[in-house]
Amino acid sequence: MKEKKSICVFCGSSGRVDEAYRQAATQFGTLVGENGFDLVYGGGHVGLMGITADAALAAGASVLGVIPKFLQEYEVGHDGLNELIVTDNMHDRKRIMYERSDAFVILPGGLGTMDETFEVVTWTQLGLSAKPVVVANINGFWDPLIALVDHLVETGFARDENRSILQIADSVENVFPMIAAAPVSHGKVDSKWV
Ligand code: AMP
C-alpha cells in the first residue's frame, strides 16, 4: 500500500513570467517535500512546471512526471525524476495524473493549466471525483477565474454548491492545511439540476 500522499500540480509551461510566480513555484515544490508529500506533474522541464519539480526533488519528494510522446521535445522531458511515464496522448496523461494523485493544486498557468483544472472540476461536479482541488491564488493571479465561476453561478449556469469545488488559498503556505482538511463538496450526477 502507498504510504505517502501525492499532490498533482497543474501550472504553466511558460518561464517568461513574473518572478513572483517563479518564486511561488519554488516555494510550493519545497513545501511539497517538506510536508512529506510526493509530487505528480506533467513531466516537463520548462516554466513553472520544471521549477516546481526541481524544488520538490531538492526537498526530498518523489516526483512522477507524465508526458505525452509528442510533447517530450517541446516541454523538454525532465530526466531527473523518480519516474517518468510517456503516454500516447493527452487523455492518457490526464487519466494517469488523476489516478496517481490524492489532491490537485493549481499554480499560475495558461490555457493548458485551465484545461487540466476544469477537467478535474467537472469530474467533481458530476460526482466522479472527490479529490480536493486547491487554487493557489498568488498575488490575485486567479481572481478573473474566480469571478468567472461566480458569474456562471449568478447567471444560473452552475450550481451554487459547485462554487466551492475550487478551494482558494491566498498563499502557497495556506494550500497545505486546506489539503489536510480536504472538505469536498459536489453534486450527484442525477441531481445536477434539481
Ligand atoms: P500551459 O498552462 O498552457 O502552459 O500548459 C500547462 C500544461 O498543460 C502543459 O504541460 C501542457 O502540455 C498541458 N496541456 C495543454 N493543453 C492540454 C490539454 N488539452 N490536456 C492536457 N494537458 C494540456
Side-chain angles (χ1 to χ4, degrees):
M1 193 168 57
K2 187 164 156 291
E3 300 141 28
K4 286 174 92 180
K5 292 206 166 193
S6 292
I7 296 177
C8 178
V9 67
F10 297 142
C11 63
S13 56
S14 173
R16 294 168 301 162
V17 298
D18 196 289
E19 181 58 23
Y21 303 133
R22 301 166 59 84
Q23 282 175 10
T26 302
Q27 187 190 11
F28 174 71
T30 304
L31 288 178
V32 166
E34 289 181 355
N35 283 287
F37 290 99
D38 289 333
L39 184 75
V40 175
Y41 85 115
H45 211 165
V46 292
L48 298 198
M49 297 170 66
I51 293 172
T52 306
D54 285 341
L57 286 167
S62 176
V63 180
L64 163 66
V66 188
I67 194 164
K69 249 183 266 165
F70 81 96
L71 273 183
Q72 261 184 310
E73 188 186 333
Y74 298 117
E75 295 190 354
V76 194
H78 197 308
D79 59 7
L81 306 177
N82 301 85
E83 189 179 354
L84 181 70
I85 298 177
V86 180
T87 63
D88 286 335
N89 54 55
M90 297 298 251
H91 294 294
D92 287 348
R93 177 198 226 184
K94 283 197 277 198
R95 179 177 53 77
I96 292 170
M97 288 171 83
Y98 179 82
E99 287 171 355
R100 296 283 298 265
S101 305
D102 301 291
F104 298 87
V105 173
I106 321 303
L107 293 183
L111 298 172
T113 301
M114 290 186 61
D115 172 88
E116 293 166 322
T117 302
F118 275 103
E119 176 117 39
V120 88
V121 165
T122 49
W123 287 351
T124 308
Q125 176 175 256
L126 294 172
L128 301 173
S129 170
K131 298 180 183 180
V133 186
V134 180
V135 175
N137 193 23
I138 310 302
N139 296 347
F141 178 85
W142 288 117
D143 283 352
L145 174 72
I146 297 162
L148 178 61
V149 173
D150 287 341
H151 170 69
L152 299 179
V153 172
E154 278 149 24
T155 52
F157 285 96
R159 288 176 59 139
D160 192 36
E161 73 198 60
N162 287 327
R163 211 193 294 253
S164 58
I165 293 172
L166 285 171
Q167 301 181 61
I168 314 299
D170 57 7
S171 68
V172 167
E173 294 97 321
N174 289 342
V175 164
F176 294 88
M178 294 176 97
I179 288 174
V184 173
S185 125
H186 59 73
K188 292 278 174 278
V189 180
D190 60 2
S191 67
K192 187 161 181 271
W193 296 114
V194 172

